[in-house]
Amino acid sequence: MKKWYKLLGLTAAAALALVACGTTSDETADSSSASGESSTEGEATAPELSTTVDNEGDAIDGGTLQVGLVTDTPFQGIFSWEYYEDAYDAEIMQFAFDSLFGTDENFQIDDSGKATVELDQEAKKATITLKEGLKWSDGDDLTAEDVVFPYEVIGSPDYTGVRYDSTFMNIVGMEEYHNGEADTISGITIVDDLTVEIQYIEVGPSMLQAGGGIWSYAMPKHYLSDVPVADLASSEKIRSTPVGDGPFRITKVTPGESVEFEANENYWLGTPKLDNVVLEVVPSSSIVAALENGTYDIALSMPTDQYESYAELPGYSLLGRDELSYTYIGFKLGKWDAEAGEVVPDENAKMADKSLRQAMGYALDNNAVAERFYNGLRSNANTVIPPVFGSFGATTEEVPGYTYDPDKANQLLDDAGYADTDGDGLREDPDGEKLTINFASMEGGETAEPIAQYYIQSWNEIGLDVQLTDGRLLEFNSFYDRVQADDENIDIYQAAWGTGTDPAPNGLYGRNAEFNFSRWATEENDNFMADFTSAEAFDAEFQQNTFIEWQKYFSEEAPVIPTLFRTEVLPVNNRVKHYDFGYDAPADFGWHSVELTADAPVTE
């Protein structure tokens, strides 16, 4: 289970199909869907997908699991929880790296993992205790030093990743360490080889969530400490020969293309039953044919816009679950100040007027998109808290979100002074100056281009001149590099977030979060972020009210417009004896327990 924020690609996580499945990419949606009339004629029913599969047959000894990773771009290959940034690397790492903590059905830390957490609210202290006998994949002991090492890396002044945020600043002595004023983090104490104590400025309920206020991963200090922190992300020890604590160890990396694994006999839950795992990148246009030919046992990041083409795939069971993610339209509202470690809003930014942002939200008919072109595997997103988090997410009665209402969109623009002053059918800004909005969207299968063009058409219909950045779709890695760098040629962008297992939004929308790509911050939002992590939030009523009220505020301010929630689909070959895709899978279940019943994937 991944427990941190992930950048998602459109094919893997956020493709909005304005093309009926099975048609060519240049066939756009019919006039009713393009105009947003949410007709229910021919509406797809959501498929009923199980989270588990059990196949008959005796298990063979060992064997190799063949895995396809569906992406139209090479993976980055940053095999470190402290440095990785996108979902593709996270998909790869799940075979070779573990979390320290186990979780229950609500994603709260329990005693089923490598380590336990005891949180002392009064003393504002967390005690992390490792179980005995833990080892890294190279046979070295996993100790308290490895628990502390990620804090030393992420907090270092030389850290080049994006995870130094308010959760780390909340540790006593961390800011002094990060600023180079101290050689150690005063609030972190190694009690013994198995025990670490961390002193916090404030404690809150997110510390009980996996991926919340307590870092969930260890880092092999014995292996990495000789590499300068500034060089870690690009080092061979992370890119090519990483040491992990998961069920398999990486033995070969073909950059951007494939990764080979072998069983890790040092795994804490026992030697895996498989001998090897081989993972290969597969383009979205080829994955269905590859599965039909029995090339892979499992396909990760399976494109749901192609669902009809593999719904009855011989030799496979299709598993499904709600994703911890959402698609959104983001608006650039400022810059990231790396030295200060915070976003700096610009009141003069092109998209600074929230009426403009709201109007662009009301111009889109995501409800029709979800209903008519996704076989029930997408749903209109009213908020940025996915429904898998239950009552933390606002209902549509509490937060309606943005549904198609062109009249309201036009009225908002009229009232805000965006008028067509030269008669060309396109609105100028309130100062009468030409308004061109640069829209960044990424490549991703056959649907990416028609989706982007649909959005542009929808905004054009309310009088906005929106153009693709550089006049084309951007490659996945380039897209996120430019969004993160606050490229001046990007005013708005279409992207997606994998949220991790903590519903608190501080890591994505806090002032000190580098992942806050819209670069939006207000004092009122700062207060909400503080409330999420405060001791007062241990009170269930206060916590619930904070979540709902923040979502109301966030929706009104619209620094991003959430568009779709999703269900993810996982094809599993019939030679896989048992697999559990559910978030509530038994604590001792994982890749180490997977068995095969034949020497190669079957096609019937």
Side-chain angles (χ1 to χ4, degrees):
M1 188 180 298
K2 280 74 71 179
K3 299 182 176 69
W4 205 258
Y5 308 109
K6 302 183 293 296
L7 310 177
L8 302 183
L10 293 184
T11 296
L16 315 182
L18 294 186
V19 186
C21 291
T23 58
T24 58
S25 60
D26 60 350
E27 293 178 290
T28 57
D30 64 32
S31 59
S32 64
S33 63
S35 66
E37 298 172 16
S38 299
S39 169
T40 59
E41 182 180 351
E43 183 179 317
T45 302
E48 295 184 7
L49 300 176
S50 174
T51 57
T52 61
V53 61
D54 288 286
N55 290 309
E56 296 180 354
D58 295 331
I60 64 172
D61 290 332
T64 298
L65 187 75
Q66 303 289 343
V67 179
L69 176 62
V70 186
T71 168
D72 295 316
T73 191
F75 60 77
Q76 291 193 64
I78 307 174
F79 302 131
S80 164
W81 293 121
E82 293 71 28
Y83 285 96
Y84 92 101
E85 296 181 6
D86 67 62
Y88 303 121
D89 284 350
E91 293 281 22
I92 296 168
M93 284 195 292
Q94 66 181 301
F95 297 99
F97 299 85
D98 266 358
S99 168
L100 285 171
F101 309 122
T103 60
D104 62 18
E105 66 277 6
N106 297 313
F107 310 115
Q108 289 198 333
I109 296 171
D110 60 18
D111 295 341
S112 64
K114 289 183 169 74
T116 59
V117 174
E118 181 182 345
L119 188 63
D120 187 331
Q121 297 179 38
E122 186 173 339
K124 299 181 180 179
K125 180 178 68 176
T127 301
I128 302 171
T129 305
L130 293 168
K131 293 179 178 177
E132 294 185 0
L134 300 175
K135 292 185 179 297
W136 291 100
S137 60
D138 63 358
D140 268 49
D141 291 339
L142 194 162
T143 71
E145 287 196 351
D146 302 313
V147 175
V148 173
F149 191 46
Y151 293 92
E152 296 172 338
V153 168
I154 294 173
S156 168
D158 298 325
Y159 175 64
T160 59
V162 294
R163 287 182 169 80
Y164 185 76
D165 61 11
S166 59
T167 61
F168 287 91
M169 297 174 189
N170 188 38
I171 297 170
V172 172
M174 180 61 84
E175 290 226 55
E176 291 83 354
Y177 176 76
H178 182 71
N179 293 333
E181 300 166 3
D183 294 329
T184 60
I185 305 166
S186 61
I188 299 181
T189 303
I190 295 178
V191 178
D192 55 42
D193 282 350
L194 301 178
T195 311
V196 174
E197 290 182 350
I198 303 178
Q199 189 73 48
Y200 291 94
I201 298 169
E202 297 291 342
V203 297
S206 67
M207 291 181 177
L208 301 176
Q209 293 285 138
I214 298 175
W215 186 248
S216 293
Y217 306 97
M219 200 175 187
K221 186 172 184 177
H222 73 280
Y223 185 63
L224 296 175
S225 60
D226 64 336
V227 180
V229 171
D231 299 331
L232 270 173
S234 59
S235 70
E236 286 193 5
K237 287 188 174 183
I238 280 180
R239 298 276 188 153
S240 302
T241 59
V243 168
D245 58 347
F248 297 88
R249 66 169 62 88
I250 292 175
T251 58
K252 181 180 179 181
V253 177
T254 302
E257 297 180 8
S258 66
V259 180
E260 297 179 15
F261 308 80
E262 68 179 8
N264 173 19
E265 70 280 2
N266 299 307
Y267 189 53
W268 75 291
L269 290 174
T271 302
K273 296 178 179 179
L274 296 169
D275 293 325
N276 304 96
V277 173
V278 175
L279 179 146
E280 298 175 339
V281 163
V282 191
S284 58
S285 59
S286 304
I287 184 58
V288 175
L291 294 175
E292 289 173 341
N293 292 328
T295 306
Y296 302 108
D297 293 296
I298 289 175
L300 303 172
S301 298
M302 193 67 185
T304 50
D305 57 317
Q306 299 181 38
Y307 179 78
E308 283 189 346
S309 67
Y310 61 83
E312 303 295 335
L313 194 65
Y316 291 83
S317 297
L318 299 182
L319 306 184
R321 66 184 181 187
D322 290 339
E323 286 194 51
L324 289 159
S325 53
Y326 58 90
T327 312
Y328 69 98
I329 300 294
F331 302 95
K332 279 297 187 179
L333 304 173
K335 302 287 185 181
W336 173 254
D337 185 334
E339 185 173 345
E342 65 180 31
V343 300
V344 180
D346 178 5
E347 63 181 13
N348 296 314
K350 189 182 297 185
M351 310 308 297
D353 189 335
K354 73 178 181 181
S355 293
L356 174 60
R357 304 194 298 269
Q358 291 173 345
M360 295 185 77
Y362 286 119
L364 305 178
D365 190 354
N366 289 301
N367 205 30
V369 171
E371 291 175 353
R372 299 191 61 179
F373 301 103
Y374 269 93
N375 302 284
L377 296 170
R378 294 287 185 269
S379 61
N380 184 60
N382 66 311
T383 175
V384 294
I385 306 294
V388 71
F389 288 118
S391 61
F392 289 122
T395 66
T396 53
E397 287 75 23
E398 294 165 326
V399 178
Y402 289 84
T403 54
Y404 183 68
D405 192 338
D407 291 339
K408 189 168 186 176
N410 279 308
Q411 190 64 54
L412 281 164
L413 293 173
D414 290 344
D415 292 346
Y418 292 88
D420 176 14
T421 59
D422 59 9
D424 66 352
L426 298 172
R427 297 174 185 266
E428 278 66 49
D429 69 18
D431 295 324
E433 300 295 328
K434 180 175 175 58
L435 176 65
T436 299
I437 299 171
N438 297 306
F439 172 43
S441 193
M442 71 185 84
E443 297 172 346
E446 296 180 353
T447 61
E449 183 72 35
I451 293 159
Q453 292 303 326
Y454 164 72
Y455 280 154
I456 290 171
Q457 175 188 340
S458 298
W459 291 320
N460 183 260
E461 288 175 356
I462 60 169
L464 296 176
D465 179 17
V466 180
Q467 305 288 335
L468 282 176
T469 296
D470 296 351
R472 57 181 174 80
L473 300 181
L474 305 178
E475 186 270 334
F476 173 81
N477 293 315
S478 173
F479 170 88
Y480 275 116
D481 286 345
R482 294 177 66 174
V483 169
Q484 186 172 337
D486 302 323
D487 191 306
E488 293 184 356
N489 292 314
I490 298 176
D491 301 314
I492 67 174
Y493 59 96
Q494 179 191 186
W497 276 122
T499 62
T501 48
D502 178 13
N506 302 61
L508 293 178
Y509 299 111
R511 188 181 292 270
N512 300 113
E514 192 170 349
F515 277 140
N516 182 346
F517 287 160
S518 60
R519 310 310 187 200
W520 170 78
T522 67
E523 289 187 9
E524 188 166 355
N525 191 64
D526 293 343
N527 293 333
F528 275 116
M529 297 297 110
D531 285 344
F532 282 126
T533 57
S534 69
E536 196 173 2
F538 281 107
D539 178 83
E541 183 177 352
F542 177 89
Q543 183 188 43
Q544 177 72 14
N545 183 65
T546 300
F547 268 96
I548 300 306
E549 292 304 313
W550 177 77
Q551 287 169 83
K552 291 178 181 177
Y553 173 71
F554 188 84
S555 183
E556 169 69 20
E557 291 297 310
V560 310
I561 301 290
T563 53
L564 292 176
F565 295 135
R566 310 186 280 289
T567 298
E568 59 183 321
V569 178
L570 183 76
V572 178
N573 192 261
N574 289 348
R575 75 160 178 154
V576 177
K577 189 168 179 60
H578 174 77
Y579 189 75
D580 192 332
F581 194 42
Y583 295 119
D584 57 352
D588 62 350
F589 176 81
W591 291 112
H592 71 286
S593 67
V594 170
E595 297 178 284
L596 304 174
T597 61
D599 292 326
V602 299
T603 56
E604 59 182 23

